Amino acid sequence: METEDPDMIHLRAAIAAAASARARGNHPFGAVLVGPQGQQLFAAENTVVTEHDVTGHAESNLVRMAAQQMNAEDLAACTLYTSTEPCPMCAGAIYWAGIGRVVYACSEEQLLALTAHNPDADSLMLSCRDVFAHGRRTVAVRGPLLEDEARVVHEGFW
């Protein structure tokens, strides 16, 4: 019997966090941080609407939480899983926190296609890979994965 790819399990947890964010009245984005042994350490949701904070993206919220409680060496061994490709702001936060790996579900291109008709859904078309490529250390990236599953939480929102 084949075991499921751990990346898919953790991405589904990030997508579930995105659904929770939406249910609370926020934008549908979620993220989880997983340690080197595969244990989920933190989860965060988007809080832009409820906290009245444009920087309250799921990944930024997660990075703030984790960086307050973990040292740089431990963060470097972690993977951040996110329901949607990190925006440039979040990619910068991930980089500055020293997180070593990112896995995402919905791509920035897919998000743009889902939000294109909404003038309030602004976007910077800059991939997280491009942001990370300008740093001095490597951040491994895997994605997009599970885009069909990740898209569901956005349907009817934008």
Side-chain angles (χ1 to χ4, degrees):
M1 183 172 174
E2 218 176 289
T3 59
E4 186 173 11
D5 180 343
D7 283 349
M8 301 310 143
I9 294 167
H10 298 305
L11 271 180
R12 287 187 175 106
I15 294 167
S20 178
R22 180 177 177 168
R24 295 177 199 275
N26 287 296
H27 301 150
F29 301 99
V32 298
L33 189 69
V34 174
Q37 275 70 50
Q39 72 282 26
Q40 182 177 314
L41 303 172
F42 300 99
E45 302 173 1
N46 180 290
T47 58
V48 167
V49 175
T50 56
E51 297 294 324
H52 308 284
D53 179 0
V54 296
T55 68
H57 293 193
E59 301 92 339
S60 292
N61 289 338
L62 184 69
V63 166
R64 276 192 290 280
M65 203 181 326
Q68 290 172 354
Q69 299 180 48
M70 297 177 69
N71 64 41
E73 184 179 328
D74 290 338
L75 285 168
C78 290
T79 299
L80 187 147
Y81 292 86
T82 181
S83 62
T84 306
E85 182 173 1
C87 73
M89 176 185 71
C90 291
I94 292 163
Y95 180 83
W96 291 119
I99 294 169
R101 183 171 180 253
V102 171
V103 179
Y104 66 88
C106 186
S107 67
E108 183 67 26
E109 292 81 14
Q110 176 86 22
L111 181 63
L112 181 62
L114 291 165
T115 62
H117 65 282
N118 185 332
D120 295 327
D122 204 0
S123 181
L124 290 171
M125 288 304 300
L126 181 63
S127 78
C128 67
R129 283 180 174 90
D130 289 340
V131 173
F132 297 143
H134 291 283
R136 286 199 237 179
R137 65 177 173 72
T138 300
V139 177
V141 178
R142 183 177 183 202
L145 304 166
L146 302 177
E147 277 195 294
D148 290 340
E149 290 181 39
R151 182 178 60 236
V152 171
V153 74
H154 291 278
E155 290 175 350
F157 181 84
W158 304 102

